[in-house]
């Protein structure tokens, strides 16, 4: 069944390459807000659905690109496993291929790694309709250049993710979230202390008043860390972290552009007007602000990181921090290897890519 | 100092040897004398890496001390079309740093400074020639360490680790080099500097940082690395379990992971490895056991104890005849001593050994180990197995004697068959040692021409003239065709019923 669906996609891609037609790869369409706008005929991956291989004793799963992320996660939960990077869905229709292509990781990221850290292999349909296989099912693999990890976060500009293999982790034995009322300075020093010592932290969220810290791991570790941390225990924390991950908290309901600043975790307060919230022990900061893009990017860069216009209209501008000239040059030439006719998601990641 | 006019001399024509001489003449004008090695005696020290079966004396060795020198050396090599082989500590096991007789070796040995340690952000900026272990030593006063720990960590360089995407005992839980590096500065063959990643956890655009990992010095010269540091765990326990049969030990590995426990390390040694190690370091290993497993657990004292209980139970359920637990640092060090000195220990029982590096899905361990034993009988060469069982990364050591005519070739053929076995089992020909010159043929087994073409295209993007480490890592399509190697697809060889020699 999958082979027939792949054959149909391949036909469409070949046609598009021959006629110079742009294609917009669409999984569940849940992350269309992310990145620059694409004008192209939709290429749907939802025909490619199913879990190809999952053996609980092996910590990996192979899934077709159009499989619903929710379906995959439900299956994993049944066997006591999960995707360590806790990816956001941004809608019930989210697909696994779209999740990998967007490269977005959730609350657990600084402690468990990002999407790219858990990608073991891909089958990808390139812009000439050729099916390529990079990586595999094993954790360690250095044969040939790593052309699979770069698919994470490429926003479909290098090819259609037909199948992906992801590393899994066991669900933690115990989870508990503590809430601490702290001002900025107290919050920063608390996070710093946690970051520097071997604590079982797996998520943080701070919106200016309350610091939420999720602890997860072996039961005695969680209990000991909770005692040391203090604050109050949140009776049911599942909803909180889902709402943080999915940006459903009231904090996110705001008409202003939403910026994501990725900075070193201990970076001091960034001098930009607007409302701030932060995750990832300070390494991912959210800013609701009408500041101009130039100022936001400069501030992010001088804090040691970069800024993304996560939600909002960039107009003709970039959404992601512009790349240095030699790096952009490499991007163009790498794109040409996989998509010489510029068929896939043109301009979604960067203009001209 | 060199004037701009000299730097713009048109590329020399002539033979490879002449181009090299012209380039060296140019370098002599501005490079400090101690930076350039050309004396034949001294060049010998660079003729091979950790795989001495391949040797070539380089045309010259350059040992720069600054990034600016690296850029100008590469620019000169580019102008004169002289091959450049970057070299870290030369401990590579696949001939990745094997020199080119008409080229230079660019030794990064003097890039040996730790530039900064930022305990608050848990990162360190280091130069590529810094030894792996030196990073953890420098971070120790802050209660931090650098997780990937190849067995060669007292010697190998962090630049070489990035170039090979090195692994180690603790990679099962803490990841490979690629998971523990946040930023790189790379000089490209035309002398440009790329900054990839840095102090933040991620970076926009394509993941070139990942692409550079394991690129074996083919895409650029790494001149600076930002590594992640981790807080030292509070407590550690090491379990040593003895088994009367190899398959039982292999099943225990799958059993532990399947039970939702990811140990910090999970290593296996077979009987010949146990004996060799015990003879060498007297670690107290059970010399009658068919196999031992070493399981390291870390965390708080309470959780280490809880996990140790569960693991002990799992080991016993899978037929362990004896399980010992080391809680104090001395006993832990003793348990590890045998594993850590296994390679030199094997070096004592055989004139030569050839180390393979295939990786397979864990569930196929028992079957592949049996396959290797069968091949060992077929080729009449003994094998010692000591490996990273937790992530299915095998290190069969094939024992041979290079002084006996034909034995090296036999060992190599045997090795190729082992790698084929790994690919058939759904694995890969190299988990952490890289392709280098050694596994070029095996690459033809793992990859179809379409993928190999993309690898060559990537090389073209970074290094259009093909000057960085030419001829390594990716075989030419021509070579694969000549070899007639069968690309193993979906774990199945064409005509598996036919005996193959
Ligand atoms: C006893 C022993 C045990 C070992 N155990 C392990 C192990 O457990 N795990 C493991 O992964 N490996 C292991 N190795 C292999 C080896 O130590 C690693 O591959 C290591 O990463 C090589 O580092 P090096 O500095 O010695 O690199 P070299 O051997 O000098 O070079 C290796 C490759 O990297 C390139 N290179 C080096 N420096 C740079 C640079 N700055 N920029 C660009 N390219 C560069 C070279 O061109 C070459 O292709 C072992 C080796 C020995 C001898």
């Amino acid at each position: 069944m999958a082979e027939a669906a792949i054959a149909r996609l391949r036909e469409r891609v070949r046609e598009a390459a021959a006629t110079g037609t742009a294609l917009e790869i669409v999984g569940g369409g849940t992350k269309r807000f992310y990145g620059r706008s694409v004008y192209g005929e939709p290429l749907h991956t939802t025909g490619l659905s199913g879990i190809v291989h999952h053996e609980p004793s092996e910590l990996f799963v192979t899934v077709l690109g159009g499989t619903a992320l929710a379906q995959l996660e439900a299956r994993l939960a049944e066997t006591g496993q999960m995707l360590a990077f806790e990816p956001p869905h941004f809608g019930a229709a989210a697909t696994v291929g779209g999740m990998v292509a967007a490269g977005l990781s959730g609350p657990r990221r600084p402690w468990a790694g990002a999407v790219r850290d858990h990608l073991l292999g891909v089958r990808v349909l390139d812009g000439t309709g050729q099916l390529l296989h990079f990586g595999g099912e094993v954790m360690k693999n250095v044969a040939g250049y790593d052309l699979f990890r770069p698919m994470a976060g490429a926003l479909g500009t290098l090819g259609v993710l037909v199948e992906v293999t992801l590393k899994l982790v066991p669900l933690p034995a115990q989870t508990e979230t503590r809430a601490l009322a702290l001002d900025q300075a107290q919050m920063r020093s608390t996070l710093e202390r946690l970051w520097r010592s071997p604590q079982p932290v797996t998520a943080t969220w701070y919106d200016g008043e309350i610091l939420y810290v999720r602890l997860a791991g072996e039961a005695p570790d969680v209990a000991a860390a909770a005692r040391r941390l203090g604050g109050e225990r949140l009776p049911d924390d599942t909803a909180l972290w889902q709402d943080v991950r999915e940006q459903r908290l009231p904090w996110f309901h705001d008409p202003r552009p939403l910026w994501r600043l990725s900075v070193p975790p201990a970076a001091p307060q960034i001098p930009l007007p607007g409302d701030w919230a932060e995750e990832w022990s300070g390494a991912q900061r959210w800013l609701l602000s009408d500041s101009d893009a130039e100022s936001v990017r400069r501030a992010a860069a001088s804090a040691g990181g970069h800024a993304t216009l996560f939600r909002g209209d960039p107009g003709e501008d970039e959404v992601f921090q512009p790349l240095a000239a030699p790096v952009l040059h490499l991007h163009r030439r790498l794109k040409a290897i996989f998509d010489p006719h510029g068929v896939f998601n043109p301009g979604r990641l960067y203009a001209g890519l | 100092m060199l004037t701009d006019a000299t730097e713009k001399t048109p590329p020399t024509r002539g033979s490879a040897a002449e181009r090299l001489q012209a380039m060296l003449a140019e370098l002599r004008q501005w490079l400090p004398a101690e930076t350039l090695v050309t004396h034949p005696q001294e060049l010998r020290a660079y003729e091979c890496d950790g795989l001495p079966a391949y040797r070539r004396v380089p045309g010259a060795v350059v040992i720069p001390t600054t990034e600016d020198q690296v850029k100008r050396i590469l620019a000169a090599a580019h102008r004169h079309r002289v091959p450049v082989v970057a070299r870290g500590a030369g401990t590579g096991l696949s001939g990745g740093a094997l020199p080119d007789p008409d080229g230079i070796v660019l030794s990064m040995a003097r890039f040996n400074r730790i530039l900064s340690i930022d305990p608050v952000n848990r990162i360190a900026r280091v130069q590529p020639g810094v030894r792996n272990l030196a990073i953890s030593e420098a971070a120790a006063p802050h209660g931090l360490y650098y997780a990937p720990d190849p067995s060669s960590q007292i010697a190998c360089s962090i630049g070489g680790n990035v170039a090979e995407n090195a692994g180690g005992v603790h990679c099962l839980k803490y990841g490979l080099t690629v998971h523990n590096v946040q930023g790189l500065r790379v000089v490209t063959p035309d002398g440009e500097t790329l900054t990839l990643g840095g102090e933040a956890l991620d970076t926009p655009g394509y993941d070139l940082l990942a692409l550079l990992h394991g690129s074996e010095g083919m895409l650029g010269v790494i001149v600076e690395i930002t590594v992640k540091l981790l807080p030292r765990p509070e407590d550690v326990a090491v379990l040593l379990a003895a088994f009367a049969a190899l398959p039982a030990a292999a099943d225990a590995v799958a059993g532990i992971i399947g039970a939702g426990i990811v140990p910090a390390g999970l290593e296996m040694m077979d009987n010949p490895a146990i004996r060799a190690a015990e003879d060498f370091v007297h670690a107290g290993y059970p010399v009658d056991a068919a196999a031992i497993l070493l399981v390291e657990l870390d965390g708080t004292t309470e959780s280490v104890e809880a996990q140790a209980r569960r693991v002990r139970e799992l080991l016993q359920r899978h037929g362990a005849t004896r399980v010992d637990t080391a809680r104090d640092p001395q006993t832990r060090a003793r348990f590890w001593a045998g594993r850590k000195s296994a390679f030199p220990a094997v070096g004592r029982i055989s004139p030569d050994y050839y180390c393979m590096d295939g990786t397979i899905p864990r569930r196929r361990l028992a079957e592949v180990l049996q396959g290797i034993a069968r091949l060992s009988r077929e080729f009449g060469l003994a094998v010692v197995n000591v490996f990273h069982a937790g992530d299915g990364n095998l290190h069969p050591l094939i024992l041979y004697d290079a002084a006996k005519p034909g034995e090296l070739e036999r060992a190599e053929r045997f090795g190729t068959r082992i790698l084929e076995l790994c690919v058939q089992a759904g694995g890969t020909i190299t988990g952490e040692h890289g392709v280098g010159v050694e596994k070029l043929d095996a690459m033809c087994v793992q990859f179809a021409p379409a993928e190999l073409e993309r690898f060559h295209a990537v090389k073209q993007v970074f290094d259009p003239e093909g000057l960085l480490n030419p001829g390594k890592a990716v075989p030419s399509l021509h070579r694969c065709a000549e070899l007639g190697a069968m690309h193993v697809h979906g774990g199945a060889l064409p005509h598996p019923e036919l005996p193959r020699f």
Side-chain angles (χ1 to χ4, degrees), chain B residues 442-456:
Chain B
M443 283 288 284
C444 308
V445 177
Q446 186 167 335
F447 291 98
E451 284 85 21
L452 292 173
E453 269 171 22
R454 300 314 149 106
F455 293 150
H456 286 296

Side-chain angles (χ1 to χ4, degrees), chain A:
Chain A
M1 212 193 72
E3 293 314 311
I6 294 170
R8 277 195 301 278
L9 284 178
R10 184 197 291 253
E11 242 358 271
R12 279 286 308 282
V13 171
R14 287 201 174 137
E15 246 175 62
T19 56
T21 312
L23 296 176
E24 179 186 1
I25 307 171
V26 185
T30 55
K31 298 174 189 72
R32 291 188 75 204
F33 70 88
Y34 185 60
R36 303 170 83 249
S37 310
V38 172
Y39 303 95
E41 290 177 11
L43 182 75
H44 294 281
T45 64
T46 30
L48 286 171
S49 176
I51 294 171
V52 179
H53 191 188
H54 176 221
E55 246 174 272
S57 76
E58 298 282 320
L59 295 175
F60 75 82
V61 66
T62 299
V63 203
L64 291 174
T67 310
L69 181 54
Q71 179 197 338
L72 172 64
E73 289 188 337
R75 164 76 163 269
L76 297 179
E78 278 166 26
T79 55
Q81 296 177 330
M82 64 181 286
L83 297 171
F85 48 93
E86 217 180 353
H89 294 216
F90 293 132
T95 63
V96 175
M99 176 272 283
V100 172
L104 295 171
S105 304
R108 197 177 283 262
R109 191 267 177 248
W111 300 275
V115 183
R116 57 89 93 165
D117 295 314
H118 296 84
L119 192 58
L120 299 176
V122 297
R123 284 211 292 158
V124 60
L125 191 62
D126 80 357
T128 65
Q130 199 164 25
L131 197 58
L132 302 165
H133 190 181
F134 296 111
E137 297 177 346
V138 290
M139 308 293 153
K140 293 169 91 172
N141 184 358
V142 292
Y145 299 123
D146 182 349
L147 292 179
F148 54 96
R149 288 190 185 93
M151 296 294 160
L155 278 173
T157 56
L158 298 176
V160 185
L161 293 170
V162 163
E163 187 182 282
V164 300
T165 300
L166 293 158
K167 184 183 166 187
L168 306 172
V169 295
L171 283 168
Q174 185 79 35
T175 301
E176 174 174 340
T177 295
R178 310 294 296 187
L180 300 91
L182 301 177
D183 65 23
Q184 279 280 343
Q186 293 167 323
M187 176 275 295
R188 193 61 64 221
S189 68
T190 302
L191 287 182
E192 185 186 318
R193 202 176 64 239
L194 292 173
W195 186 242
R196 290 178 66 167
S197 60
Q199 300 291 321
V201 177
T202 63
T204 70
W205 166 257
Y206 181 71
D207 62 5
E209 282 163 20
I210 297 183
L211 174 67
Y212 295 93
V213 178
R214 182 176 65 190
L215 305 165
E218 297 291 317
D221 290 3
V222 171
R227 264 197 312 278
R228 249 170 310 192
L229 187 59
E232 270 179 39
R233 182 189 178 143
L234 219 64
D236 177 14
D237 64 349
T238 317
L240 170 71
W241 297 111
Q242 275 182 8
D243 289 348
V244 168
R245 188 187 80 192
E246 302 298 333
Q247 302 186 340
R248 284 189 305 234
L249 289 175
W251 187 89
F252 287 99
H253 298 162
D254 194 286
R256 286 171 295 177
L258 175 67
W259 287 89
R260 168 182 184 267
L261 283 80
S262 171
V263 293
Q269 185 63 12
I270 295 164
L272 284 170
D275 285 342
W276 288 91
E278 62 170 73
E279 290 182 70
W280 295 10
S281 201
Q284 175 164 268
R285 303 196 188 175
W286 300 105
L287 169 66
L288 289 162
S289 174
D290 288 315
S291 294
D292 64 294
E294 191 44 43
S295 317
V296 179
R297 295 200 193 285
R298 216 172 325 112
S302 56
H306 60 93
T308 303
L309 178 58
F310 203 83
R311 287 180 199 265
D313 180 9
E316 292 303 302
D317 283 350
E318 297 297 354
V319 161
F320 300 96
Q321 191 100 356
L323 301 171
V327 177
L328 180 62
H329 178 69
L330 289 174
H331 275 64
R332 295 225 170 91
R333 299 201 52 203
L334 286 171
K335 162 88 174 173
I337 294 178
F338 287 97
D339 185 16
H341 310 291
V343 169
F344 294 132
N345 290 358
R348 174 123 190 220
L349 190 60
Y350 285 100
L353 208 64

